[in-house]
Amino acid sequence: MQIFGVDIGGSGIKGAPVDLDKGDLAQERCKVLTPHPATPDSVADGVKEVVDHFGWSGPVGLTFPGVITDGTHIRTAANVDKSWIDTDARTLFSDRLGGLPVTVVNDADAAGVAEMQFGAGRDRKGVVILLTFGTGIGSALFIDGELVPNTELGHLELDGHDAEKKASSKAKEDHELSWEHWAHRVTKYLAHVEMLFTPELFIIGGGVSRKADKFLPLIEGIKADIVPAQLQNNAGIVGAAMRAAHHAK
């Protein structure tokens, strides 16, 4: 079975048909740059470009970098334009895609769902936290495999700032931090999250997961297991498609 997944990020909008039996992309993904400002209309245009690239005509799952309630209402928009707040995202995207059925889910929640089904969290019980390090820090919290949605742990306070302002991969790039310096910040952040939730496993996702060997060995003092995401930067696309398939039943 194939369902289309789209992952909307702070820097790029990427999507592809997903083979839900394998938990992998069925075709090479298409990516367009996230427009700036990333308003609802401009992002919807980017999503349409990605979907039209494949001539897709079935259900579409989309991720969004913010809190989503009732599967459609945007409540926060930290890394996209603030005009997203209170937008009915499902209606916006469905209208732009010619009436295709659309499911919208928090971006990190989508990545987490994919990793728990097909990746590093498979068969893991207890408390598992996926953290995506990118433009910001996304989070997905699971208890015995069940998702607690919209946790947004990247906005926990760390040294007087939103944690993602100090420890995201964007912060590493913006401040030209060495892997060692950045790993020190990530360690402080993980220690804070561990103190609050006592997870058995941290899964580290986002684009930086491709370079896990550069920084994971530098993280010390965390009691939980720490592993890179296995689906890496495709996890959001796969998870979005999984959610769309679930709602299509």
Side-chain angles (χ1 to χ4, degrees), residues 5 18-19 33 36 45 58-59 72 96 108 131 147 190 193 226:
V18 174
D19 184 329
L33 295 179
H36 293 285
D45 285 341
T72 188
R96 195 59 52 92
L131 297 167
L147 173 68
L190 293 179
V193 175
I226 309 173

Side-chain angles (χ1 to χ4, degrees), residues 6-13 34 38 43 62-68 74-81 84 93 104-109 132 135-138 150 152 155 164:
V6 180
D7 190 12
I8 299 170
S11 59
I13 300 170
T34 301
V43 170
L62 295 129
T63 77
F64 183 82
V67 170
I68 301 160
I74 306 299
R75 293 289 180 245
T76 66
N79 294 305
V80 289
D81 195 80
W84 274 101
F93 288 121
V104 188
V105 62
N106 173 270
D107 56 350
D109 286 349
T132 59
T135 305
I137 299 175
N150 292 314
E152 293 287 291
H155 299 297
E164 68 179 23

